[in-house]
Amino acid sequence: MPYHSNPLDLAFHALSDPTRRAVVSRLATGEVPVSVLAEPFDMALPSFAQHLKVLEDCGLIASEKRGRSRWCWLVQARFDEAADWMETERRRWTERLDRLEAYLDNTQEDDEGHGKPV
């Protein structure tokens, strides 16, 4: 696995896999035991457990042993960090695109004012 320098890098790496995204989607409905979580996936339990380890290591999910079962649930804080980062980037790109649009509008107005075709 490539080196990831911070928790946000680890979270995005974890979410890059469709199996792990499906696990996150399932856990969005509430906590469940690993055995139930693994049912829809066509893989051995040790392989599935590796996916859970990646999600848990990056802080997207947590788990605990209850009796004979291990239960998993989502950890909101890491999702909030990822959402905050994406919102900051969205705002930055919206501002850049707004400036580009204003520039192009001004350029078009200048061209129209000098009788040049658009």
Side-chain angles (χ1 to χ4, degrees):
M1 178 170 88
Y3 176 74
H4 298 282
S5 60
N6 66 53
L8 193 56
D9 290 345
L10 292 171
F12 281 118
H13 166 73
L15 293 171
S16 70
D17 182 88
T19 298
R20 293 190 288 264
R21 286 193 309 271
V23 168
V24 167
S25 292
R26 171 54 184 91
L27 288 174
T29 64
E31 61 182 48
V32 294
V34 170
S35 58
V36 172
L37 200 53
E39 285 174 358
F41 301 98
D42 186 27
M43 65 179 74
L45 195 54
S47 297
F48 185 74
Q50 286 294 340
H51 286 289
L52 296 180
K53 181 175 178 4
V54 170
L55 290 167
E56 195 160 7
D57 286 350
C58 75
L60 290 171
I61 70 168
S63 70
E64 73 178 359
K65 186 87 168 162
R66 295 182 193 162
R68 292 184 173 182
S69 299
R70 176 158 294 280
W71 285 71
C72 298
W73 61 90
L74 294 180
V75 177
Q76 188 64 42
R78 186 68 71 226
F79 288 96
D80 290 344
E81 290 172 13
D84 290 346
W85 181 85
M86 287 187 285
E87 179 58 24
T88 299
E89 290 302 308
R90 186 198 63 75
R91 269 189 259 121
R92 177 180 300 149
W93 280 101
T94 298
E95 290 169 4
R96 287 179 178 177
L97 290 171
D98 288 347
R99 286 193 308 268
L100 176 61
E101 181 180 33
Y103 171 78
L104 293 173
D105 286 346
N106 288 336
T107 302
Q108 184 177 6
E109 288 172 9
D110 288 347
D111 288 347
E112 289 172 356
H114 292 93
K116 295 179 184 176
V118 180

